[in-house]
């Protein structure tokens, strides 16, 4: 149980375009979803936290107008990178928590974004 | 105060040996300490976790030792195997804060055959 999927697993886009990444909890309802960014050989950096039906809470230094997060249902959150630039190239990972008797986070497999 | 310090940055162990990774924290409000294993190009996966009411937790070849007074915890991998080669992250959370995790910097473990 507690499976989280991400789509796509890899995406290449041209500079200036927008790209959407989906995160789904497959077998549980996720009251909270998290979006992380990870650079090579570095730790996970939390970008934002979202609760279903509410606006996302962004970490300091993360541009909310550039990284649009929508948590439209208890099983789906999306991250849209708007007007992508090469420096946005990274590994994006989502996680989900159902917040019942445990606040454990279950991580998705990640999405490799390359902006050319 | 929110940081979790992890060491070593990298670790090379022979097959069958013991791998030890250490973490230290400052925030005494942390009450949940998970360890994650991450393979290249994949998301992290929960390996084992501990709460501060116990000093040790063992699951198979993986053991967490927890020292509340020293604010330190460590992961021991017994009988290390080449398949254990991965990056390991310790983390800490205040469970009542809505499950926000604070991660350590990561340890790249290589187990030589």
């Amino acid at each position: 149980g507690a499976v989280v999927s991400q789509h796509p697993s890899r995406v290449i886009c041209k500079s200036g375009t927008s790209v959407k990444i989906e995160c789904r909890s497959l077998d549980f309802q996720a009251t909270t979803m998290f979006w992380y960014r990870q650079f090579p050989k570095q730790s996970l950096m939390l970008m934002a936290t979202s609760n279903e039906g509410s606006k996302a809470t962004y970490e300091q230094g993360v541009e909310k107008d550039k990284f649009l997060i929508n948590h439209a249902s208890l099983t789906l959150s999306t991250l849209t990178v708007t007007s992508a630039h090469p420096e946005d190239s990274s590994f994006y990972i989502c996680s989900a928590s159902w917040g019942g008797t445990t606040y454990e986070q279950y991580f998705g497999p990640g999405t490799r974004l390359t902006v050319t | 105060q929110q940081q979790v310090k992890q060491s070593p940055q990298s670790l090379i162990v022979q097959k069958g040996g013991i791998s030890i990774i250490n973490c230290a924290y400052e925030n005494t409000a942390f009450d949940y300490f998970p360890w994650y294993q991450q393979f290249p190009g994949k998301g992290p996966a929960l390996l084992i976790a501990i709460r501060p009411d116990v000093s040790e937790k063992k699951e198979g070849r993986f053991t967490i030792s927890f020292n509340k007074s020293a604010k330190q915890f460590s992961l021991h991998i017994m009988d290390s195997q080449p398949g254990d080669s991965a990056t390991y992250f310790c983390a800490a959370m205040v469970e009542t804060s809505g499950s926000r995790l604070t991660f350590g910097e990561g340890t790249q473990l290589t187990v030589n055959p």
Side-chain angles (χ1 to χ4, degrees):
Chain A
V3 179
V4 176
S5 70
Q6 278 184 244
H7 178 79
S9 58
R10 291 177 176 270
V11 58
I12 301 172
C13 70
K14 292 188 176 181
S15 187
T17 62
S18 296
V19 61
K20 180 184 288 188
I21 303 170
E22 292 187 349
C23 176
R24 294 182 184 272
S25 55
L26 298 184
D27 52 1
F28 66 101
Q29 292 187 324
T31 54
T32 307
M33 286 185 166
F34 303 82
W35 286 96
Y36 296 85
R37 185 173 181 178
Q38 187 178 35
F39 291 106
K41 298 190 184 299
Q42 293 190 21
S43 189
L44 285 77
M45 182 184 74
L46 180 65
M47 299 175 66
T49 303
S50 71
N51 293 295
E52 185 263 340
S54 303
K55 286 185 178 180
T57 301
Y58 290 82
E59 295 296 301
Q60 192 172 7
V62 177
E63 299 175 60
K64 59 182 66 176
D65 293 331
K66 180 166 189 62
F67 299 99
L68 301 179
I69 292 171
N70 187 347
H71 191 163
S73 75
L74 284 172
T75 59
L76 174 64
S77 176
T78 60
L79 167 67
T80 301
V81 183
T82 63
S83 186
H85 290 282
E87 57 265 31
D88 298 324
S89 298
S90 190
F91 193 51
Y92 292 88
I93 307 170
C94 73
S95 70
S97 172
W98 66 280
T101 55
T102 175
Y103 286 92
E104 183 54 60
Q105 289 185 30
Y106 300 95
F107 286 84
T111 296
R112 172 74 59 192
L113 169 64
T114 303
V115 184
T116 60
Chain B
Q1 195 179 19
Q2 289 294 325
Q3 287 183 322
V4 176
K5 294 290 187 183
Q6 183 172 346
S7 63
Q9 188 174 9
S10 63
L11 179 62
I12 299 174
V13 174
Q14 290 299 117
K15 178 182 175 182
I18 302 174
S19 304
I20 302 174
I21 305 171
N22 301 298
C23 285
Y25 64 96
E26 289 294 325
N27 186 355
T28 54
F30 285 143
D31 55 7
Y32 182 68
F33 302 87
W35 284 89
Y36 294 90
Q37 179 188 58
Q38 185 180 29
F39 292 104
K42 304 295 184 184
L46 177 66
L47 197 59
I48 187 173
I50 197 168
R51 288 184 171 84
D53 53 343
V54 297
S55 60
E56 186 175 282
K57 183 174 181 180
K58 183 176 181 179
E59 289 184 3
R61 296 184 295 110
F62 302 92
T63 300
I64 300 179
S65 296
F66 186 83
N67 186 329
K68 188 175 181 178
S69 61
K71 292 185 285 187
Q72 295 175 348
F73 58 111
S74 60
L75 175 69
H76 296 235
I77 306 174
M78 313 300 286
D79 187 26
S80 299
Q81 299 296 312
D84 297 330
S85 297
T87 300
Y88 293 81
F89 293 96
C90 62
M93 173 199 294
V94 179
E95 282 198 293
T96 55
S97 73
S99 65
R100 190 185 190 282
L101 284 166
T102 299
F103 282 92
E105 299 91 340
T107 297
Q108 187 166 355
L109 171 66
T110 302
V111 182
N112 289 326

